[in-house]
Amino acid sequence: MSDARPPLPPFTRETAIQKVRLAEDAWNSRDPARVALAYTVDSKWRNRSEFPQGREQIVEFLTRKWRRELEYRLIKELWTFGDNRIAVRFAYEWRDDSSNWYRSYGNENWEFDANGLMQRRYASINDVPIAEAERKYRWPQGRRPEDHPGLSELGL
């Protein structure tokens, strides 16, 4: 069980919240190789109109994503959970190479194997242009600080 990624299913409310925060932290690292380790080697995704499969394609996808989505900052929030599945809602802010800012809103459905690795990830995402002054995520690049409000507290 050296590939185990606790917390493991079946999830409780507490462990589901932990799993969501661990995912948020990994994605905020913007390190595709680190993020990919949370998924099974044959993980299946749907992300907008792309369907990456396996860690290698996940790394390629995330590398492209973070070249395009600059100053990326993400907040995830547990929506619901059961046994080996978790649903989250999220919002992230980013800018393009022309300094146009966006807030992207979405939902994800996750399914985990017995080792706590995500074997399926289905994401639906919408991008909304925002003015720089409308940004709500202004922490230094990386992990969201513990005292930074979550989605519900921000009214998102």
Side-chain angles (χ1 to χ4, degrees), residues 8-35:
L8 307 177
F11 297 111
T12 63
R13 180 167 180 72
E14 178 182 286
T15 61
I17 289 170
Q18 284 179 306
K19 199 71 156 176
V20 171
R21 183 59 193 243
L22 289 168
E24 176 187 311
D25 291 349
W27 281 68
N28 276 327
S29 77
R30 295 182 312 141
D31 179 344
R34 174 184 170 192
V35 172

Side-chain angles (χ1 to χ4, degrees), residues 17 20 26 32 36 40 43 47-48 60-61 74 87 90 94-95 105-106 110 120 134 136 143-145 148-149:
I17 289 170
V20 171
T40 61
S43 184
N47 196 95
R48 299 177 193 257
E60 291 168 3
F61 170 85
L74 164 74
F90 63 87
W94 58 282
R95 68 170 179 82
Y105 298 93
W110 301 341
R120 289 194 178 93
E134 294 175 280
K136 297 181 181 283
R143 186 176 197 276
R144 176 173 53 107
H148 191 283

Side-chain angles (χ1 to χ4, degrees), residues 83-147:
D83 191 33
N84 69 331
R85 292 181 175 168
I86 295 175
V88 300
R89 66 186 198 96
F90 63 87
Y92 63 91
E93 294 180 350
W94 58 282
R95 68 170 179 82
D96 64 19
D97 59 1
S98 297
S99 292
N100 299 304
W101 282 94
Y102 299 87
R103 185 172 303 121
S104 299
Y105 298 93
N107 300 292
E108 294 174 321
N109 297 312
W110 301 341
E111 182 181 84
F112 294 87
D113 71 5
N115 289 327
L117 295 169
M118 197 180 303
Q119 56 195 9
R120 289 194 178 93
R121 175 186 172 268
Y122 302 118
S124 296
I125 307 165
N126 300 295
D127 302 319
V128 177
I130 61 172
E132 197 283 336
E134 294 175 280
R135 291 179 52 215
K136 297 181 181 283
Y137 304 176
R138 295 185 180 270
W139 67 83
Q141 199 73 60
R143 186 176 197 276
R144 176 173 53 107
E146 291 295 331
D147 62 349

